[in-house]
Amino acid sequence: MTMDIAATALPRPRTRPHEKVDRTARPRRFVMVRPTHFAVDYVINPWMDLSTPVDTSRALAQWEALRQVYIDLGHTVDEVGSLPGLPDMVYAANGAMVVNGRAVVARFAHPERAGEAPAHADWLLDHGFVSVHTRHTNEGQGDLLLVGSTILAGYGFRTDRRAHQEIADHLDMPLVGLELVDPRFYHLDTALAVLDDTTIAYYPPAFAEHSLATLRQMYPQAIEVASADAYVLGLNVVSDGLNVVMPAAATGFAEQLHHHGFRPVGVDLSELLKGGGSVKCCTLEVHS
Ligand code: ARG
C-alpha cells in the first residue's frame, strides 16, 4: 500500500464502515459531446502529453459506454454536436453552468478552447435557457459545482475569482470560493466530487489551507480520498444520489463510497484521461 503523508495526517472520515444509509437516485439531465474530433494537439494541463498517441475510435467506444450507463440508469442525455478543430470539446462540463433555467456560458482560459463556448451558447438558447456571459474567465462545471443550493467555485488555475460575483448574481445563489493549488488538479471537478445535496468527497492536498478549513467546516462528514484515487481522476464522478459513475481505476474510493451507502459504477475512460478528464468532465448536468 502506498502511504500518503499529507493524507494520513488528516482526520479520518467519521462514518463507520458498512453504516446503513438510505440513498436515493434522482433522474438527471445531461449534455454530452461525442469525441469525434478528440485528440491531444496542445498542452494546457499536466495530464496532456503530445508524445502519447490517442486512439480516437477507442475514445468513442469508451464515451459511448459512458452514455449508455447514464441511459441504463434512467437519465436523459442530450448532445451538443462536436466540431472539428476543437479536440477538447468532449469535456462538455466546461461549456456552461446551468441551474433552474438559467445558464452561465463558459469563457475559456485558453484560446484553443474558446470556440467551444458559442456551440454551448447556441444549445442553451435553443433549449430555452436564459444565458449570460461573464466578463472574466469561467470554465463552467469544471470549476462550478452545485451542492444542494450552494455553488462551490474553484479558482487558481482556470476560473477567475472575479467571475464568482457575476455567477452568483446571475444564478441568484450563494457561492463559496475554493482555492486550488496543485496544477494536476486544475479544475475543481478533478479534486472534489458532489455525491448528493449534502455529501461531498475531496482530495485535501489539492486545496489551499484556508479552503481546506472552509471545506472541513461546511462538510465535517466529507469523504477524504487518498492520492492513489485522486491520481486516476477518481473524484471526477457523476452521482445521481445513489449511483456514482466513476473511473474504474479508483478502487479505494469505490470502497469508501460503498461503505457510505453509495453504489459505485466503474467505467473505463482511459483514452479521455490523456486529455486530463474523466467522467464528470465529459458530462454537463442541467440542474433543475
Ligand atoms: N484538456 C482539457 C483542458 O485542459 C480537459 C478539461 C477537463 N474538464 C474538466 N471538467 N475538468 O481544458
Side-chain angles (χ1 to χ4, degrees), residues 109-152:
H110 297 96
E112 292 90 339
R113 298 196 66 184
E116 299 176 34
H120 285 280
D122 286 350
W123 185 91
L124 290 162
L125 185 67
D126 289 349
H127 291 79
F129 295 95
V130 181
S131 306
V132 288
H133 295 263
T134 53
R135 283 182 51 226
H136 299 286
T137 298
N138 91 80
E139 294 205 347
Q141 288 176 8
D143 279 321
L144 304 168
L145 297 175
L146 186 70
V147 190
S149 51
T150 300
I151 298 169
L152 299 183

Side-chain angles (χ1 to χ4, degrees), residues 12-177:
R12 306 311 309 159
R14 293 183 195 169
T15 311
R16 287 175 305 282
H18 306 297
E19 179 178 319
K20 286 280 163 269
V21 192
D22 266 331
R23 305 283 180 195
T24 24
R26 185 158 42 80
R28 310 288 170 132
R29 181 178 182 192
F30 300 131
V31 176
M32 296 177 76
V33 179
R34 195 173 288 273
T36 316
H37 304 286
F38 176 64
V40 176
D41 285 345
Y42 48 77
V43 174
I44 56 171
N45 71 54
W47 302 82
M48 301 172 91
D49 173 4
L50 293 177
S51 64
T52 306
V54 170
D55 183 339
T56 306
S57 59
R58 192 150 177 260
L60 274 162
Q62 292 176 342
W63 180 92
E64 195 58 68
L66 173 64
R67 183 175 169 274
Q68 195 57 48
V69 165
Y70 291 145
I71 290 166
D72 292 347
L73 289 171
H75 305 306
T76 308
V77 180
D78 282 11
E79 250 186 78
V80 167
S82 150
L83 297 170
L86 295 171
D88 272 337
M89 205 172 166
V90 62
Y91 304 112
N94 299 126
M97 173 63 173
V98 197
V99 191
N100 296 333
R102 300 183 196 193
V104 173
V105 178
R107 180 179 295 282
F108 285 91
H110 297 96
E112 292 90 339
R113 298 196 66 184
E116 299 176 34
H120 285 280
D122 286 350
W123 185 91
L124 290 162
L125 185 67
D126 289 349
H127 291 79
F129 295 95
V130 181
S131 306
V132 288
H133 295 263
T134 53
R135 283 182 51 226
H136 299 286
T137 298
N138 91 80
E139 294 205 347
Q141 288 176 8
D143 279 321
L144 304 168
L145 297 175
L146 186 70
V147 190
S149 51
T150 300
I151 298 169
L152 299 183
Y155 67 94
F157 295 102
R158 299 291 180 88
T159 298
D160 190 317
R161 211 184 165 180
R162 290 171 295 176
H164 287 177
Q165 195 58 52
E166 301 178 74
I167 295 162
D169 287 348
H170 180 64
L171 300 178
D172 196 18
M173 287 188 141
L175 179 152
V176 177

Side-chain angles (χ1 to χ4, degrees), residues 113-269:
R113 298 196 66 184
E116 299 176 34
H120 285 280
D122 286 350
W123 185 91
L124 290 162
L125 185 67
D126 289 349
H127 291 79
F129 295 95
V130 181
S131 306
V132 288
H133 295 263
T134 53
R135 283 182 51 226
H136 299 286
T137 298
N138 91 80
E139 294 205 347
Q141 288 176 8
D143 279 321
L144 304 168
L145 297 175
L146 186 70
V147 190
S149 51
T150 300
I151 298 169
L152 299 183
Y155 67 94
F157 295 102
R158 299 291 180 88
T159 298
D160 190 317
R161 211 184 165 180
R162 290 171 295 176
H164 287 177
Q165 195 58 52
E166 301 178 74
I167 295 162
D169 287 348
H170 180 64
L171 300 178
D172 196 18
M173 287 188 141
L175 179 152
V176 177
L178 296 170
E179 187 180 3
L180 298 165
V181 293
D182 180 336
R184 286 234 145 206
F185 305 98
Y186 58 94
H187 274 143
L188 184 62
D189 72 354
T190 63
L192 187 147
V194 181
L195 302 170
D196 65 22
D197 289 348
T198 54
T199 315
I200 64 162
Y202 60 94
Y203 179 53
F207 295 90
E209 255 329 302
H210 67 102
S211 296
L212 268 184
T214 304
L215 286 172
R216 294 213 171 101
Q217 198 220 324
M218 289 179 73
Y219 306 102
Q221 310 286 345
I223 301 173
E224 296 183 5
V225 309
S227 300
D229 294 311
Y231 275 78
V232 291
L233 288 186
L235 284 162
N236 199 245
V237 309
V238 169
S239 173
D240 63 16
L242 169 65
N243 306 288
V244 181
V245 185
M246 63 182 297
T251 51
F253 183 37
E255 211 169 293
Q256 288 175 297
L257 286 168
H258 179 71
H259 287 186
H260 284 77
F262 293 98
R263 213 185 270 166
V265 181
V267 294
D268 175 15
L269 290 184

